[in-house]
Structures are given as C-alpha cells and as structure tokens.
Amino acid sequence: MYIEITDDFSLSKIAESGQCFRAKLLDDGVWRFITGSNILHIRPLAHNQYEIDCTTPQWRAVWLPYFDLDRDYSIIRSRIGKTDSYMKNAADTGAGLRILRQDPWEMLITFIISQQKTIPSIKSCVEKIAEMYGDTVETPYGCVHLFPSAGQMSHITDEELSQCKLGYRAPYIRDAIGKVASGQLDLDTLYSYDDIQLFNALKSVHGVGDKVANCIALFAYGRTSLVPVDTWIRKVIDGVYGGQNPFTKYGNDAGIMQQYIFYYAQHNKKSLSEKPAGRLF
DNA sequence: TATCAGGGCCTAG
DNA sequence: CTAGGCCCTGAT
C-alpha cells in the first residue's frame, strides 16, 4: 500500500543515525526495518509518497509510533534560536532524522554491547545474536532473523556468548538476560515510570551506566528530554560550547537536538572546530 | 604491520 | 572522586 509522510523523514539518515543497528537498504531502493516480530519494507517514491508492505492497522499500531510520526519535527527545528548557530547547522544537516521508539529488550542488549565499540562492530554483534538465537522469518526479500527474546537468550551457554564477540560485556549481557527472563526487571512496566525512575531501573543492570541508560530511555521509551553523552557529544560540548551543556535549554526536545548534533559531528568532523554563537563567549 | 579509538562501565585506591 | 583496565574490531 501507499502512504504519505509530509514531515521531516529521511530513511537513510535514520538508518545511519546510530540509534538503530539493523535497518538496511536492500535492492531497488527498498529499506528494511525490524522491531520485535514486525518487519517493514518501505520504498520512497516521489512527492512524499512511500510504498510499504504492511496493512493499515499494522502501520498505525506499530510503525507510526516507531517512527514517532505524531510529532512535528519541522516545527521543532524552526524553534531553534538564531543565537545557537551550531545547533541550527546541525538541525539543518540532520533534517529527516527521527527519534525511534524501538523494542526495549533489544535496545537494552544493543546499548550494553555498544560500549567501546564502533557502529559497524555493534551491527555485526547484534546481527550475530539474531542469527544464532532469533526466529527466522521468510520475506520476499530473503530470510530475516528476529532479535531473540530474553527467554530465548536464557539458554545460551558461555561458549556461545563468546562467539558473539562480546568480550568483557558477556557477563553484563548475562545479567540482563537473568533479570528480564526471571521477571525481576519487567521492561513493559517501565513505560509507566517517570524519567528518573526509568533511568534508575535500567541502571540496575550490570554494565548499564548513565550513557547506556539514557540511550535506552531515549531510543526505546521515547524520553526526548534525556541526552546521552557519548564521546562525540562530549567533544561538541567541550570543543564547541566551552563545556557548557547546550541541550538542557531545549527541554523536552533536548534528546532530539542531541541526535541532530550526533549526526552532524559524525558526518562532518570539521564541524567540531566551528564556532558557536558569539554570545556564548 | 602496527597503532589507535570506539555512542563506557566497573573496580580499586 | 579519579585512574586504569578491559575484549575486540574497524579504520588509518
């Protein structure tokens, strides 16, 4: 079926944004996204039109919230003040990015893995886990491995875990599996928690620190006021903004600004030597 | 071939 | 509170 999306929406930028690691460009300009047991094939056409291979109820129930399409990102971008020129450049460059609402279990495991790894390395780990333990689904574009549930992963042996190239993170993953599979940590109930409660609950898992907890809260639970500070964001805060956090003043949009800047800094390293708004110095 | 840094976190002191 | 170690991969 066909749909129209008029707000900011770039599949390539979303796929390269460092928040999802399994999105893939297939043949014929078709993108594939996976979340939980849902698989979407989507092809951009002209005039904001997209061809998709799911039903209207599936689109509304799963993919519309997944892509955060009820939020108007172009308005959010337009509210960036002229005094914050670096932020404005980042948002102009990153226009089309969206904060995804992804599966919490997959994000918990994925962002534990992410520490001290490059994005290509994270992708290969996640893909390996899906191949080894996830359900297999046949699609017109080939077979897809879903990300395994905590229950499915609870049977993994230590030897199998080490095959996934997790390194020192293996015991962290083991702890996450144990807590979630046993019900000690119920990721669904966390939706009803406020930001602080959610943050603390996530940090109860071994290997989940401030940065990873913020990533899960932002990229799974849609907590857009939270800002994960990784090495790139750190470079921008220190090098461009003189150590002064530029995100807090954006309130509920702070996490979205973080995503524009992460994308901008990663794809345009020269930007790290840009001058910010003159008023800041 | 060698070296470095990577969407950090834990532990020891 | 801070420094050091960590398991491995992709990039240079």
Side-chain angles (χ1 to χ4, degrees):
Chain A
M1 60 179 265
Y2 297 90
I3 53 161
E4 181 178 32
I5 299 171
T6 55
D7 191 27
D8 297 351
F9 190 73
S10 165
L11 291 164
S12 60
K13 288 183 190 175
I14 291 168
E16 293 168 12
S17 65
Q19 63 177 313
C20 63
F21 300 90
R22 302 198 66 202
K24 191 175 177 186
L25 177 60
L26 309 174
D27 295 335
D28 304 328
V30 174
W31 289 89
R32 180 174 68 208
F33 286 81
I34 311 166
T35 187
S37 59
N38 304 281
I39 301 168
L40 177 72
H41 294 94
I42 177 168
R43 185 209 321 258
L45 307 170
H47 310 302
N48 299 329
Q49 299 289 314
Y50 294 83
E51 182 179 9
I52 57 175
D53 70 343
C54 70
T55 64
T56 299
Q58 286 173 325
W59 175 256
R60 289 199 183 133
V62 177
W63 298 105
L64 203 128
Y66 177 87
F67 289 113
D68 196 25
L69 287 168
D70 282 330
R71 194 192 310 262
D72 191 329
Y73 283 65
S74 65
I75 286 182
I76 291 168
R77 283 191 297 111
S78 72
R79 287 202 291 256
I80 300 171
K82 290 177 184 171
T83 54
D84 198 348
S85 60
Y86 186 87
M87 192 74 75
K88 186 167 187 344
N89 287 341
D92 287 346
T93 304
L97 287 167
R98 308 192 74 85
I99 301 294
L100 304 179
R101 289 172 187 270
Q102 302 177 81
D103 178 70
W105 167 247
E106 180 177 345
M107 290 306 102
L108 173 61
I109 299 303
T110 298
F111 281 101
I112 289 173
I113 292 170
S114 77
Q115 57 190 206
Q116 290 295 103
K117 278 185 177 292
T118 58
I119 290 174
S121 175
I122 299 164
K123 285 181 181 174
S124 73
C125 281
V126 174
E127 207 59 40
K128 182 80 176 174
I129 289 175
E131 281 172 19
M132 289 180 76
Y133 312 108
D135 290 336
T136 302
V137 178
E138 293 296 337
T139 79
Y141 296 91
C143 95
V144 172
H145 302 279
L146 303 179
F147 194 82
S149 67
Q152 287 175 308
M153 290 181 72
S154 64
H155 305 297
I156 302 177
T157 65
D158 286 337
E159 194 170 334
E160 287 177 310
L161 261 190
S162 72
Q163 288 176 18
C164 296
K165 320 253 173 108
L166 301 172
Y168 66 86
R169 306 162 195 79
Y172 301 162
I173 301 296
R174 178 73 69 196
D175 186 53
I177 293 169
K179 285 196 165 79
V180 173
S182 70
Q184 182 184 343
L185 179 65
D186 183 350
L187 296 175
D188 285 332
T189 65
L190 301 188
Y191 283 106
S192 64
Y193 287 17
D194 67 31
D195 288 355
I196 305 294
Q197 293 173 319
L198 171 63
F199 184 75
N200 290 331
L202 292 170
K203 281 184 60 167
S204 71
V205 178
H206 209 47
V208 177
D210 290 2
K211 191 273 175 182
V212 168
N214 275 320
C215 281
I216 301 163
L218 180 60
F219 301 132
Y221 292 92
R223 303 306 173 91
T224 52
S225 65
L226 301 182
V227 175
V229 177
D230 73 314
T231 55
W232 290 94
I233 296 298
R234 189 79 257 165
K235 283 177 194 169
V236 172
I237 292 176
D238 291 342
V240 179
Y241 288 94
Q244 200 174 12
N245 188 309
F247 300 104
T248 48
K249 68 177 177 184
Y250 288 94
N252 196 48
D253 298 329
I256 296 170
M257 297 303 146
Q258 178 272 357
Q259 201 60 13
Y260 287 138
I261 285 194
F262 178 79
Y263 183 88
Y264 189 44
Q266 269 241 329
H267 287 78
N268 182 10
K269 294 179 182 173
K270 291 177 189 168
S271 75
L272 289 170
S273 57
E274 272 184 39
K275 298 289 187 220
R279 243 161 54 76
L280 288 172
F281 290 95

